Amino acid sequence: MTDSARVECLLVATDRHADMLDLPAVQVKSGCGIVGDRFFRRSTRHPERNITLIGAEAIEAVAAELALAIPLWAPRRNVVTRGIELNGLVGHTFRVGHVLLRGIEPCDPCAVLGRNLETEGCSRDTIIRAFMGRGGLRATILSDGVIRRGDMIRT
């Protein structure tokens, strides 16, 4: 991690297939998720998965490799970061602003990501393969608080 590891943008969707909303700040609740997000208090199968993160650098790298325009909201993760390797946070506790999180597992790309980004010249499978190993991180929220765009990320 560098001193510049930070939150680039914060995204929520109010319903299953709703557009992702880019917000300046989100309220989070320990063990529940992001207030207002479609998964808030709804993950009974995996209650420890409260929030997802992805690196802006990963999105930009895939976009460059595949010659696609991929907006930061397109992978449908909640927190887009810059300046930190998220895969290294699996099993570790870290802070996003004043909120404490713990990395649970990599957030591998899924069929939804492939379907949302496929084009005539780039198949779902190609997109999913390109995001393998850089699809982000699932984390659990350990403290209530507010996460803001620009917040520092500290390990």
Side-chain angles (χ1 to χ4, degrees), residues 27-46:
Q27 181 181 7
V28 298
K29 297 282 185 182
S30 176
C32 297
I34 301 172
V35 175
D37 187 67
R38 68 197 182 280
F39 292 117
F40 184 70
R41 289 190 174 137
R42 295 179 78 187
S43 186
T44 55
R45 200 168 114 198
H46 301 284

Side-chain angles (χ1 to χ4, degrees), residues 13-86:
T14 56
D15 292 307
R16 186 173 179 207
H17 295 290
D19 289 342
M20 297 298 285
L21 304 173
D22 186 359
L23 303 173
V26 294
Q27 181 181 7
V28 298
K29 297 282 185 182
S30 176
C32 297
I34 301 172
V35 175
D37 187 67
R38 68 197 182 280
F39 292 117
F40 184 70
R41 289 190 174 137
R42 295 179 78 187
S43 186
T44 55
R45 200 168 114 198
H46 301 284
E48 73 282 2
R49 296 180 184 175
N50 305 140
I51 192 167
T52 57
L53 301 90
I54 191 169
E57 298 91 344
I59 298 168
E60 293 162 354
V62 170
E65 288 169 19
L66 300 180
L68 293 175
I70 304 176
L72 295 179
W73 54 262
R76 299 187 67 83
R77 305 298 188 253
N78 302 121
V79 180
V80 179
T81 66
R82 187 168 296 278
I84 190 164
E85 176 54 48
L86 295 171

Side-chain angles (χ1 to χ4, degrees), residues 11 13 34 40 45-46 52 56 85 92 94 100 110 113-114 117 130 135:
L11 303 156
I34 301 172
F40 184 70
R45 200 168 114 198
H46 301 284
T52 57
E85 176 54 48
H92 297 278
F94 59 100
L100 195 60
C110 63
L113 175 64
L117 296 178

